[in-house]
Amino acid sequence: MAKHRTLKVVRPPALIHGNAAIARGAIAAGCRFFAGYPITPATEIAEIMSREIPRHGGTFIQMEDEIASMGAIVGASLAGVKAMTATSGPGFCLMQEILGFAYATETPCVVVNVMRGGPSTGLPTRPSQSDVMLSRWGAHGNHASIVLAVSSVEDCFHVTLKAFNFSEKFRTPVILLSDEVVAHTRAIFSPPEDDGLSVINRVRPSVPPEWYIPYENTARGVPPMAILGDGYRHNVTGLVHDVRGFPTEQKEEVRTFYERIHRKIDLNREEIEIFESVFLDDADICLIAYGSASMAALEAVHLARKVNLKVGLLKLTTLFPFPSKPVEEVLNRSRVVIVPEMNFGQIVQEVKNLGVCQTRIIPMNRYDGHMFAPSEILQKIREVY
Amino acid sequence: MQESTHLIHQYLRHDKKFPHLWCPGCGNGIVLGALIRAIHHLGCSKNEIALVSGIGCSSRMPTYVDFNTLHTVHGRALTFATGIKLAKPGLKVISIMGDGDAMAIGGNHFIHAARRNIDITALIMNNSIYGMTGGQSSPTTPFGSVSATAPYTQIERPFQIAEMAIASGASYVARGTVYHARKLIGLIEQAIRKPGFSVVEIITHCHVQFGKYNQMGSHIDMLKWQKSHAIPVEKAGSLSDEALKDKFTIGVLANRDFPIFDQEYEKIRQAAMQAQP
């Protein structure tokens, strides 16, 4: 394969939508393999990748379905190339099986789910945030997940880069949740220079092949990853495997496997949990939001502050591992917490599960295929203030 | 014997706890032997071979051999193989599947890999049954036979694997049997050497499931059945329809040249990289 070309161009600001920013973020992160299948509202990501990725020496392939797309990106990643796919609800459902394989084999990859209304074909051209729990628990079996949510064009670029960095650093698939509003909202975006970006690549083995233990139970929990064809001939299987990669049913080995794939995420929660605090210091009422709902929430906070209502926002970029520490702090200091979501209440359950103090936790839900308006969130704030 | 010992030492994994999972008398070992001999004849380095399998008895094969091995999910081996081949074109990617794996749950991936004519070699072991789960009907279970899920006989007609590969656009399609073990080595060797999508359908036996349900006797009897029912494709043309009834052809069934996906994509990549941004 051709050597990856490093572009050192300063690109002018451009008016682009969220899907385009995700594609740009992926290229900047070093993604050189994209496999996908057309689906609204994610298709633009595939279209842009089909044009851009070969220019950077990479590969685009349109597969026969989303299952095949997922298989292809895992294969490409095992062969050493950073890989991504992008889809929406129905396609994301199909991907769960091989997503599970990626968790089990600790194969880095990024899966973008541009959420639309569901279940089934649902509301293909309308936004939703109803795949949050699917993203955490979609693959069967015990696994830890990293799920990130984007809320703006700027976010789409930088969080995609983060998603790749986490996937490479922790050897895990990362789910990037966008939604139809973020996907198709255009904004002026000034791409940063490639030199200024921090791009993480997976750690490769430094020992000779005969010393290499592919799934070694290290303290950090992330074993160095050998690439197919690099001389480290090892076995990769979706069966529970021992440290050498061979199927096992020995209880000690089974337990070690499960504990390590959880530990490697758990130990690094602080690094993985990305969130943003707005006016939290003196807030009586706090909003906890993510994705496009967090944009409406942010505007509502500004409107509230104008009329001297002490309202703050905790904007979550990382949904899983659930950022319990910052949420607990918010619960400890606020009188009321409002969680606006475009679903029947998914992240609000995580907030309630923390179960600290007497703080009132109020879910605020929209599921009519339309986004939140700042005014309706403000109205809710006034009701409970 | 000496050659076999040498090959065993060179290609089987020493750190994998044998015995393998296959039943005594199973044909899968003969296929593994043929594959190792074919790779040995080709003179490939072990590092440049990637064996990618799905789920099932036959798909356990990669675990035992000292190549880059990938044991994936049921039916999807070819999708992983596609990603590997495109990410690392220097690898010789060989996909190992069974009939249920490749034709039922993976049927769509199979015809599309053939249509793309991507440079992958697909070996499909056809024993007409789901062996690992206990003898249920597969897409190649013959009409009128009996299985664990067709106790009143199978009323669906079987897929013809090789013919489907030909119709879907594979460059090279062959069929062999585990009875004709030496011939099989040559077919696999040619398939690996041939650029583009190559398919070798390998007729094998599952005497503990299919044989048991259909009173076909021991594994020896089933091997004899292969011998008496296989017609070399070169001879088939001169035989009457009556003589060909219930028989199947073996040998190279198609060998042709179509555009190869990975080569075509490399042209696109080169052109795109040279174009001004």
Side-chain angles (χ1 to χ4, degrees), chain A residues 32 74 76 112 126 128 145 196 199 207 216 227 234 244 260 263 279 284 299 302-303 307 331 341 357 370:
Chain A
R32 294 296 178 269
V74 171
V112 181
R126 287 281 164 193
S128 172
S145 325
V199 172
V207 296
E216 195 173 4
I227 299 311
H234 63 293
R244 306 202 67 88
R260 187 175 56 72
R263 186 171 75 234
F279 295 127
D284 285 336
E299 183 60 20
H302 288 304
L303 293 174
V307 291
L331 286 171
E341 295 179 271
C357 19
H370 289 259

Side-chain angles (χ1 to χ4, degrees), chain B residues 163 175 183 229-245 247-253:
Chain B
E163 283 71 12
R175 182 160 43 220
K183 188 168 182 164
H229 285 72
I231 308 280
V233 67
E234 302 81 10
K235 277 192 196 163
S238 59
L239 295 176
S240 66
D241 286 354
E242 189 57 31
L244 287 171
K245 197 165 173 258
K247 303 285 196 294
F248 58 88
T249 52
I250 57 169
V252 180
L253 308 183

Side-chain angles (χ1 to χ4, degrees), chain A residues 1-3 5 7 33 50-51 53-65 67-68 70-81 97-98 101 227-239 242 244 246-248 253, chain B residues 13 15-17 46-48 50 55 60 62-64 66-74 76 78-89 91 105 108-110 112-113 115-116 118 261 265-266 268-270 272-277:
Chain A
M1 194 161 101
K3 274 218 157 131
R5 189 165 60 160
L7 291 178
F33 188 91
S50 72
R51 201 167 55 231
I53 219 164
R55 292 174 50 200
H56 293 77
T59 309
F60 168 88
I61 184 168
Q62 182 171 324
M63 296 299 284
E64 53 273 20
D65 57 29
I67 302 172
M70 194 64 215
I73 69 163
V74 171
S77 181
L78 287 166
V81 177
E97 181 195 26
I98 295 178
F101 181 87
I227 299 311
L228 298 179
D230 278 2
Y232 295 81
R233 297 184 302 273
H234 63 293
N235 189 46
V236 178
T237 176
L239 287 164
D242 60 17
R244 306 202 67 88
F246 295 121
T248 181
E253 291 175 340
Chain B
R13 275 191 167 128
D15 51 0
K16 170 70 188 119
K17 304 144 232 163
K46 291 194 281 186
N47 287 334
E48 63 176 317
I55 295 292
R60 281 301 182 99
T63 313
Y64 306 125
D66 188 18
F67 300 116
N68 302 287
T69 57
L70 188 57
H71 175 235
T72 70
V73 301
H74 195 32
R76 328 272 180 221
L78 285 169
T79 70
F80 291 84
T82 298
I84 292 167
K85 184 67 195 179
L86 295 175
K88 213 154 188 178
L91 286 174
I105 188 164
N108 198 29
H109 308 309
F110 180 75
H112 283 277
R115 175 180 66 86
R116 276 182 204 111
I118 187 164
F261 184 89
Y265 198 83
E266 181 57 23
I268 286 178
R269 191 186 282 127
Q270 289 306 329
M273 285 173 73
Q274 271 145 29
Q276 290 303 307

Side-chain angles (χ1 to χ4, degrees), chain B:
Chain B
M1 198 64 200
Q2 208 178 359
E3 193 223 350
S4 294
T5 313
H6 173 74
L7 291 178
I8 286 169
H9 282 282
Q10 191 175 348
Y11 291 101
L12 293 194
R13 275 191 167 128
H14 303 282
D15 51 0
K16 170 70 188 119
K17 304 144 232 163
F18 274 84
H20 53 69
L21 143 161
W22 299 321
C23 305
C26 179
N28 289 348
I30 298 171
V31 180
L32 176 57
L35 173 63
I36 286 174
R37 288 183 177 92
I39 289 172
H40 189 69
H41 290 173
L42 286 166
C44 302
S45 134
K46 291 194 281 186
N47 287 334
E48 63 176 317
I49 302 284
L51 283 194
V52 186
S53 68
I55 295 292
C57 295
S58 53
S59 287
R60 281 301 182 99
M61 188 178 286
T63 313
Y64 306 125
V65 274
D66 188 18
F67 300 116
N68 302 287
T69 57
L70 188 57
H71 175 235
T72 70
V73 301
H74 195 32
R76 328 272 180 221
L78 285 169
T79 70
F80 291 84
T82 298
I84 292 167
K85 184 67 195 179
L86 295 175
K88 213 154 188 178
L91 286 174
K92 289 196 186 310
V93 183
I94 302 167
S95 179
I96 314 270
M97 294 171 284
D99 47 293
D101 203 33
M103 288 292 111
I105 188 164
N108 198 29
H109 308 309
F110 180 75
I111 58 175
H112 283 277
R115 175 180 66 86
R116 276 182 204 111
N117 199 30
I118 187 164
D119 188 14
I120 293 169
T121 304
L123 306 185
I124 302 169
M125 275 154 264
N126 182 1
N127 62 3
S128 310
I129 202 92
Y130 286 88
M132 186 174 260
T133 47
Q136 299 79 19
S137 289
S138 92
T140 58
T141 302
F143 184 90
S145 57
V146 176
S147 79
T149 49
Y152 305 111
T153 74
Q154 176 77 5
I155 54 169
E156 299 170 27
R157 288 167 303 140
F159 267 141
Q160 306 294 325
I161 299 178
E163 283 71 12
M164 184 133 103
I166 295 170
S168 306
S171 272
Y172 174 95
V173 181
R175 182 160 43 220
T177 79
V178 290
Y179 175 83
H180 303 86
R182 285 186 186 279
K183 188 168 182 164
L184 184 60
I185 301 169
L187 295 176
I188 295 176
E189 198 180 321
Q190 276 185 51
I192 297 173
R193 190 175 276 140
K194 176 78 182 182
F197 194 64
S198 324
V199 177
V200 184
E201 177 189 357
I202 304 158
I203 306 293
T204 180
H205 54 276
C206 180
H207 53 293
V208 300
Q209 304 290 1
F210 187 77
K212 181 187 73 185
Y213 279 109
N214 294 284
Q215 287 91 43
M216 292 186 74
S218 69
H219 57 291
I220 310 278
D221 298 321
M222 292 186 80
L223 282 162
K224 285 180 181 161
W225 180 93
Q226 290 169 25
K227 183 189 178 189
S228 60
H229 285 72
I231 308 280
V233 67
E234 302 81 10
K235 277 192 196 163
S238 59
L239 295 176
S240 66
D241 286 354
E242 189 57 31
L244 287 171
K245 197 165 173 258
D246 294 333
K247 303 285 196 294
F248 58 88
T249 52
I250 57 169
V252 180
L253 308 183
N255 189 353
R256 58 240 174 127
D257 293 303
F258 295 128
I260 298 166
F261 184 89
D262 29 315
Q263 293 178 5
E264 295 300 315
Y265 198 83
E266 181 57 23
K267 292 180 202 163
I268 286 178
R269 191 186 282 127
Q270 289 306 329
M273 285 173 73
Q274 271 145 29
Q276 290 303 307

